[in-house]
C-alpha cells in the first residue's frame, strides 16, 4: 500500500492524529470496535456488497470502464481488497475511507465519479444486477416473494472529510457528495447529500426523493433539509445549524413493508443530541406529485453507501486540479451495517 500517499490525502482536511484527538465519546466507542491494521472488509461485513472505484478497470470484460470489485474480491481470504487512494482503512481509527476525484471513469449513466458500495443480495451471481434475488422490493410488489428481500435496513455513522472546493455554487452538485442511496431500476427514491460552500465553516445534510415517472424527462428531485439548507451559495451566511467537515453524523434507512423510514442524528450521546425523522410510503405516488410519479411499488431497488462525488467538470462547473488542490470528496465510515 502507498502509505505515504494515503496519509497525504487525509492530511489535506484533517490529519489522522487530529481526527483521533477530536472524536466524540460515541465516535471513540465505534472506533474501539475497529482494527486499524485490517482491511475494510475485515472490520465491516461486506459479504453482500460490491464496490465501484474511480479508476480504469483492467479486466478485459470491463476495459475502459470504472473499476468494479465484486464481493468475492472485496472479501478475499488473506488478501481482502484495498486501494491506497480511494478505498482504505484509516490507520489511526480503523474506519473505512471512501474518496473520489472530480474527474475519472464513471458508471455508464453518470458523469460523477464514485467510491461506492452497491448491495448485491445474491452473492453467488456477481453480475446479475437486475435479477430479483440480487435486489429488494417493497411489500406491495406483485412478485415481492421472488426478491432477495422485502425491504431492508442500512445504518451508517460517518464523517465527511472533504468536498470539492471548485464548482459553480449555484449548481446543487457543486461542493457536494452523496453518502447513501436507495437506487431503483432507473431512478432513486433516496439520495443522502452533504454539501458545503468552500467559504463556510458548516455544510448541509439533506436528502432527495426522485419521482419515478413514465417518461424520463419528467423526473423531479424533491429535496428535504435535515441539518442546514440544501440550496446555499457562497453569498449566503454560514449555516450555523449545519455540519462541519469531520463532524460525525448518523443515518438509518429502514424500509419496512412499504414504508421508507429515515432517521438522522448529530451530537450523538451528547446533551444537545438532535434527531430528525421522515417517513415515505414507496408504494404510493409522492404526495402532490400524483400526476407524474408512479411510485416504486413495482420497481426493484438496492442500497448504496460511500462517497459519490457530485462535482463534475460539466454540469457542476468543477475543476480537476487534483486532490492536493481540494478537487475531490472523502467520507469516513465508523459504522456501516446492512440488514437484509
Amino acid at each position: 500500500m502507498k502509505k505515504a500517499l494515503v496519509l497525504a490525502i487525509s492530511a489535506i482536511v484533517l490529519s489522522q492524529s487530529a481526527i483521533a484527538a477530536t472524536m466524540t465519546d460515541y465516535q471513540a466507542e465505534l472506533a474501539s470496535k475497529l482494527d486499524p491494521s485490517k482491511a475494510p472488509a475485515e472490520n465491516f461485513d461486506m459479504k453482500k456488497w460490491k464496490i465501484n472505484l474511480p479508476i480504469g478497470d483492467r479486466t478485459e470484460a470491463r476495459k475502459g470502464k470504472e473499476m468494479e470489485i465484486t464481493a468475492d474480491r472485496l472479501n478475499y481470504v488473506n488478501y481482502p481488497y484495498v486501494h491506497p487512494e480511494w478505498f482504505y482503512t484509516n490507520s489511526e481509527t480503523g474506519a473505512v475511507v471512501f474518496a473520489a476525484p472530480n474527474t475519472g471513469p464513471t458508471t455508464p449513466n453518470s458523469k460523477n465519479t464514485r467510491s461506492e458500495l452497491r448491495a448485491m443480495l445474491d452473492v453467488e451471481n456477481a453480475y446479475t444486477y437486475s435479477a430479483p434475488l440480487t435486489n429488494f422490493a417493497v411489500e406491495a410488489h406483485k412478485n415481492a416473494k421472488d426478491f432477495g428481500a422485502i425491504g431492508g435496513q442500512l445504518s451508517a455513522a460517518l464523517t465527511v472529510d472533504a468536498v470539492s472546493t471548485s464548482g459553480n455554487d449555484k449548481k446543487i452538485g457543486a461542493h457536494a457528495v452523496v453518502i447513501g442511496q436507495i437506487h431503483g431500476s432507473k431512478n432513486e427514491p433516496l439520495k443522502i447529500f452533504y454539501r458545503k460552500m468552500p467559504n463556510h465553516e458548516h455544510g448541509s445534510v439533506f436528502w432527495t426523493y426522485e419521482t419515478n415517472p413514465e417518461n424520463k424527462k419528467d423526473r423531479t428531485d424533491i429535496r428535504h433539509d435535515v441539518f442546514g439548507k440544501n440550496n446555499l451559495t457562497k453569498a449566503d451566511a454560514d449555516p450555523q445549524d449545519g455540519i462541519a467537515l469531520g463532524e460525525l453524523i448518523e443515518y438509518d434507512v429502514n424500509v419496512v413493508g412499504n414504508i421508507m423510514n429515515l432517521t438522522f442524528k448529530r451530537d450523538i450521546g451528547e446533551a444537545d443530541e438532535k434527531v430528525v425523522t421522515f417517513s415515505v410510503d414507496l408504494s404510493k405516488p409522492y404526495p402532490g406529485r400524483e400526476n407524474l410519479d408512479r411510485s416504486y411499488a413495482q420497481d426493484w431497488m438496492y442500497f448504496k453507501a460511500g462517497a459519490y462525488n457530485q462535482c463534475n467538470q460539466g454540469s457542476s462547473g468543477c475543476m480537476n486540479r487534483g486532490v492536493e488542490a481540494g478537487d475531490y470528496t472523502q467520507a469516513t465510515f465508523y459504522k456501516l451495517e446492512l440488514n437484509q
Side-chain angles (χ1 to χ4, degrees), residues 239-260:
Q240 296 296 310
D241 58 341
I243 301 291
L245 291 173
E247 183 178 347
L248 191 79
I249 56 173
E250 189 169 76
Y251 66 75
D252 180 81
V253 183
N254 193 9
V255 181
V256 180
N258 298 317
I259 309 301
M260 178 176 69

Side-chain angles (χ1 to χ4, degrees), residues 225-229 240-243 247-251 263-277:
D225 289 327
V226 181
F227 307 121
K229 300 293 182 184
Q240 296 296 310
D241 58 341
I243 301 291
E247 183 178 347
L248 191 79
I249 56 173
E250 189 169 76
Y251 66 75
T263 303
F264 298 89
K265 295 182 180 180
R266 63 176 300 177
D267 302 313
I268 303 158
E270 307 295 324
D272 56 350
E273 176 175 322
K274 187 173 182 180
V275 181
V276 182
T277 62

Side-chain angles (χ1 to χ4, degrees), residues 17-57:
S17 59
I19 292 172
T22 59
M23 285 197 298
T24 65
D25 289 344
Y26 179 65
Q27 193 172 353
E29 179 186 341
L30 293 175
S32 71
K33 302 172 184 178
L34 306 173
D35 187 338
S37 69
K38 291 185 176 180
E42 294 175 301
N43 277 321
F44 302 87
D45 185 353
M46 295 188 176
K47 295 182 181 65
K48 293 182 179 180
W49 294 104
K50 74 174 181 71
I51 191 168
N52 290 99
L53 296 170
I55 52 177
D57 202 302

Side-chain angles (χ1 to χ4, degrees), residues 16-298:
Q16 293 183 347
S17 59
I19 292 172
T22 59
M23 285 197 298
T24 65
D25 289 344
Y26 179 65
Q27 193 172 353
E29 179 186 341
L30 293 175
S32 71
K33 302 172 184 178
L34 306 173
D35 187 338
S37 69
K38 291 185 176 180
E42 294 175 301
N43 277 321
F44 302 87
D45 185 353
M46 295 188 176
K47 295 182 181 65
K48 293 182 179 180
W49 294 104
K50 74 174 181 71
I51 191 168
N52 290 99
L53 296 170
I55 52 177
D57 202 302
R58 298 188 182 95
T59 63
E60 192 61 35
R62 295 184 55 80
K63 197 170 183 179
K65 297 181 179 179
E66 86 292 346
M67 179 76 77
E68 180 174 84
I69 305 299
T70 55
D72 57 340
R73 294 174 64 197
L74 194 58
N75 296 275
Y76 193 72
V77 177
N78 298 325
Y79 297 100
Y81 186 82
V82 298
H83 190 279
E85 293 175 82
W86 312 124
F87 176 69
Y88 58 91
T89 297
N90 181 290
S91 63
E92 289 286 336
T93 65
V96 55
V97 179
F98 299 85
N102 285 4
T103 298
T106 67
T107 54
N109 298 315
S110 176
K111 297 178 181 178
N112 302 316
T113 66
R114 70 186 78 209
S115 173
E116 189 181 38
L117 295 165
R118 194 266 202 212
M120 300 286 289
L121 301 186
D122 185 6
V123 295
E124 299 301 320
N125 295 289
Y127 295 101
T128 54
Y129 302 125
S130 63
L133 287 178
T134 299
N135 304 293
F136 77 90
V138 294
E139 192 174 62
H141 196 289
K142 60 183 179 182
N143 298 316
K145 63 179 180 6
D146 295 333
F147 286 82
I150 298 174
Q153 183 178 25
L154 175 65
S155 299
L158 70 143
T159 61
V160 175
D161 310 311
V163 289
S164 177
T165 55
S166 69
N168 181 349
D169 60 338
K170 295 179 176 60
K171 301 293 186 178
I172 202 69
H175 317 299
V177 59
V178 168
I179 53 178
Q181 295 190 63
I182 294 178
H183 204 298
S185 60
K186 296 180 180 178
N187 305 317
E188 297 111 332
L190 175 67
K191 289 169 78 174
I192 302 171
F193 285 77
Y194 176 89
R195 184 171 185 263
K196 190 189 85 70
M197 296 298 104
N199 61 322
H200 289 174
E201 180 182 352
H202 300 90
S204 300
V205 175
F206 62 96
W207 66 276
T208 61
Y209 173 94
E210 185 176 33
T211 56
N212 195 27
E214 196 73 44
N215 296 318
K216 181 178 179 180
K217 64 180 179 62
D218 294 324
R219 291 184 303 184
T220 303
D221 281 336
I222 304 168
R223 301 175 196 164
H224 305 78
D225 289 327
V226 181
F227 307 121
K229 300 293 182 184
N230 69 81
N231 60 349
L232 299 180
T233 68
K234 288 185 283 189
D236 292 306
D238 181 77
Q240 296 296 310
D241 58 341
I243 301 291
L245 291 173
E247 183 178 347
L248 191 79
I249 56 173
E250 189 169 76
Y251 66 75
D252 180 81
V253 183
N254 193 9
V255 181
V256 180
N258 298 317
I259 309 301
M260 178 176 69
N261 302 292
L262 305 177
T263 303
F264 298 89
K265 295 182 180 180
R266 63 176 300 177
D267 302 313
I268 303 158
E270 307 295 324
D272 56 350
E273 176 175 322
K274 187 173 182 180
V275 181
V276 182
T277 62
F278 301 86
S279 185
V280 177
D281 190 338
L282 296 180
S283 70
K284 297 178 180 178
Y286 194 88
R289 305 298 175 98
E290 291 85 356
N291 60 325
L292 290 176
D293 188 21
R294 296 175 300 171
S295 85
Y296 289 84
Q298 303 307 317

